[in-house]
Amino acid sequence: MTNYPVYVRYGIPMLPKAVSSGLLAQMDRYLILVLISPVAAGTYAIGRGLSAFITNISRVLNPTLYPSVSGAWEEDRFDEISKLYTDIIRYYFLIAIPAIVGLSYLAQPIITLISTPSISNESWILVPILGVGFFLRGIDNMLSYILTAAENTQKIAKSVMIAVCINIPANLILIHEYGITGAAIATVVAQSTAFILIYRYATSEIAFAIPWWSLSRSLLAAGIMLTSLYYLPLHFSIVLEIITSVSIGATIYATGLVLIGEFTPSELIALLNR
């Protein structure tokens, strides 16, 4: 019973956080349904669902990241946590950025494959916009483990609640002006707010270096990949075009990273041997 107040302080903020996260995830589609039409809500949901793949990249780390952070925190190994986050964010950049670029490039054929050309023409533009929001969400998902280990879950809840308070009026204004594209912009604004707050709170607990050079190299390699795919004459069926573009794009991107010096020979050998 002596730890009961600690458990209460730890657990109670997770309830409003869960509610706010649900609102942040669903409110845009609900408002599109009410303010525009069910068809528009369905069109938006397809673009949003494709973009959400970006966040899943960070979720792959969940089974091992939180135990590593919490274990190191309990043993006061803060330097280890700092290095861990620098390394993890570096690899997240290297994987998530080409994923955003590739999904944006292939959004129209992918959506055409799973729906109709008319829906594809309207929803593909949502993918690069929402991709930015989901990219940031992937980072703040990882940063939240620092606040959880520090037993500052109320700061996570506060960040998400503020984002929801921004998301609702932003959606009302931007949907009226720009339709479903406005909803996507409002979602990115709200998610950016949550990210900035969680980043600020997390780095006040643990300082770590952002791998800016890795971010720059990833953007450069992804730009080379996009340019190459745009000019390659891939005139196949939709399925074959998607498969070919993914294979060629991944090869160009990986080669670009090596040529611009993102990986040293020893790192590359270690990665290939895993």
Side-chain angles (χ1 to χ4, degrees), residues 136-155:
L136 295 176
R137 180 179 295 182
I139 299 176
D140 68 40
N141 281 346
M142 295 185 287
L143 294 177
S144 295
Y145 293 139
I146 294 175
L147 298 174
T148 304
E151 299 180 1
N152 278 330
T153 52
Q154 73 277 8
K155 292 182 178 178

Side-chain angles (χ1 to χ4, degrees), residues 209-227:
I210 300 293
W212 295 113
W213 279 111
S214 293
L215 175 62
S216 301
R217 293 185 187 109
S218 179
L219 288 169
L220 177 58
I224 294 170
M225 176 189 74
L226 179 62
T227 304

